[in-house]
Amino acid sequence: RLLRAPQKKVAAEQLRLEKVDIVASEKLARQQRKEAQLQFQKQDIKERSASIKASHAKRVQHMQETKQAREDRLQLMKRVQRQAFLTSAKDILAQRLREDESRKQTALLSRQNRTPTRALSPMSSIP
């Protein structure tokens, strides 16, 4: 009996040490899983952030291109309207010039037809 007691104590101590070892290794495994999970979440957040930034940059670029295209169309429309106005104004001025020329010609012909040869003498202008 006396011989078994120290063996039992040694065996019990060994068993206790194995349990402590098992508990410690489980604790370490849980800690490693937590760290791996956190690392995965950090990586996921980085990837999502990069994706959001890229999407935002793409959206901003598209908005700028759309805005530029709209401004280009507006400038073109203004240019076309200005050109149409100028063309219209030129046409109106040309028409007025033609009308003025026509009136001058008519007035000239009318004067020539009304004026007898006596009007050319200086005495005919005196009443």
Side-chain angles (χ1 to χ4, degrees), residues 76-120:
L76 179 64
M77 194 169 71
K78 283 181 179 178
R79 205 174 314 127
V80 167
Q81 286 176 342
R82 192 177 314 120
Q83 190 63 39
F85 173 77
L86 291 175
T87 303
S88 174
K90 285 178 186 176
D91 290 346
I92 290 170
L93 287 174
Q95 178 66 30
R96 286 183 183 168
L97 284 173
R98 285 192 298 270
E99 289 172 358
D100 287 349
E101 270 307 308
S102 176
R103 276 192 219 108
K104 285 179 185 175
Q105 288 294 329
T106 306
L108 185 63
L109 286 174
S110 172
R111 264 189 252 124
Q112 286 176 352
N113 289 340
R114 270 190 290 151
T115 311
T117 52
R118 65 177 169 81
L120 294 176

Side-chain angles (χ1 to χ4, degrees), residues 33-104:
R33 279 196 301 273
K34 280 184 184 178
E35 287 176 6
Q37 182 67 23
L38 283 174
Q39 196 63 28
F40 175 77
Q41 287 175 347
K42 283 182 183 178
Q43 186 63 29
D44 188 46
I45 289 171
K46 282 182 185 177
E47 289 173 2
R48 285 184 185 186
S49 177
S51 173
I52 289 170
K53 284 179 183 175
S55 174
H56 178 70
K58 200 174 193 181
R59 194 175 326 120
V60 166
Q61 181 182 4
H62 178 70
M63 286 171 49
Q64 288 174 342
E65 288 171 354
T66 303
K67 183 179 177 183
Q68 186 62 43
R70 191 177 308 124
E71 288 175 2
D72 291 347
R73 282 195 307 269
L74 183 63
Q75 290 298 324
L76 179 64
M77 194 169 71
K78 283 181 179 178
R79 205 174 314 127
V80 167
Q81 286 176 342
R82 192 177 314 120
Q83 190 63 39
F85 173 77
L86 291 175
T87 303
S88 174
K90 285 178 186 176
D91 290 346
I92 290 170
L93 287 174
Q95 178 66 30
R96 286 183 183 168
L97 284 173
R98 285 192 298 270
E99 289 172 358
D100 287 349
E101 270 307 308
S102 176
R103 276 192 219 108
K104 285 179 185 175

